[in-house]
Amino acid sequence: MGIETSCDETAAAVVADGRRTLASVVASQVALHRKFAGVVPEVASRAHLERILPVVEEVLREAQVRPRDLEAIAVTVRPGLIGSLLVGVSFAKTLALLWGKPLLAVDHLQAHIEACFFSHPFLSPPLVALVVSGGHTSLYLLRERTEPVLLGATTDDAAGEAFDKVASILGLGYPGGPAIEQAARGADPRAIPFPRTLLGEDSLDFSFSGIKTAVLYFCFGQNASALDRKSLSAEAEAQVAAGFQEAVVDVLVEKCRRALAQTGLSRLAVSGGVAANSRLRQRLVETADREPWTVAIPPKELCTDNAVMVAALGYELLRRGEVATLEVVASAEADR
Ligand code: KG4
Ligand code: ZN
């Protein structure tokens, strides 16, 4: 069983043999955070506390397994909101102790990558992985399945964070990714040429804060803030959404292309919440058709936060004998 509480989804899943999902439950807190246009850590921790027991009970019921049937308990221990992580980690430790099961300490970013192996059973290292989410935009080299080496990361906002902030500028609501995707539908993505920040010629790092400011200035002029938003026509709003989305997608695709060229590898794996974006998925597949590499992207529900990826990585850790002790601690920071 996997347990995930690193941000604003309380999730549990039961996976068999590291391959099959027996049940997956995701209790989203979107409704609670919407009025703040972002995740409020204190609100998130309290909601996890209320939901964790019902979510675990529900997943066991749906999977039709008893606690004694479980082989181990996997839980996300880092990175994330510390108050949120502590709820899942304390709960998982309690279950491991109570039921006498091994505890597996899962890194959330590695779990996102593991979702690619889970959905594409024939995928194998070496490969380049892009994790593109609300908190991270990072490229990794994987020579070993569970040992990602960082190639590049964002120097400011994560891509998902930029989606959320631009959606907030446009008044499209929270979470911003799906709202931008929806608003952009049917609009010309090249009508407004927002900047593509590629940093140095060989750089594998990312920067998304400039494009966010460019959207703000484009919409409301140099001296405006998102607070004194004027209303845009529906057509202009759609073009801004489409232009922004296209610029972010261009950057993400170009950085993947660079990483593959620089490492000489021929396999790319992409996951994290932003990998649920249809335009990004389409552009990655089209690019892979032209380039000498292939791309693996999990189905959308395995890209956004879920516990299947946690259980799947847990299975891999168990197979390798990498069992945690009850002393394991939650950590807000990524360790790579
Ligand atoms: O992986 P995830 O669920 O949580 C983190 O680990 O951060 O990613 C959440 C992020 C949010 O910023 C959300 O706006 C973005 O993923 N996202 C999307 C889409 N669905 C979720 N961004 C663009 N297009 C989408 N369809
Ligand atoms: Zn995530």
Side-chain angles (χ1 to χ4, degrees), residues 108 112 133 305 309:
H108 182 80
H112 272 304
S133 69
D305 283 353
M309 65 187 194

Side-chain angles (χ1 to χ4, degrees), residues 6-8 29 33 36 38-48 80-85 87:
S6 67
C7 190
D8 62 340
Q29 300 179 8
H33 300 290
F36 306 106
V39 178
V40 182
E42 180 68 22
V43 174
S45 317
R46 285 170 187 269
H48 284 307
L81 300 170
I82 191 66
S84 293
L85 286 165
V87 175

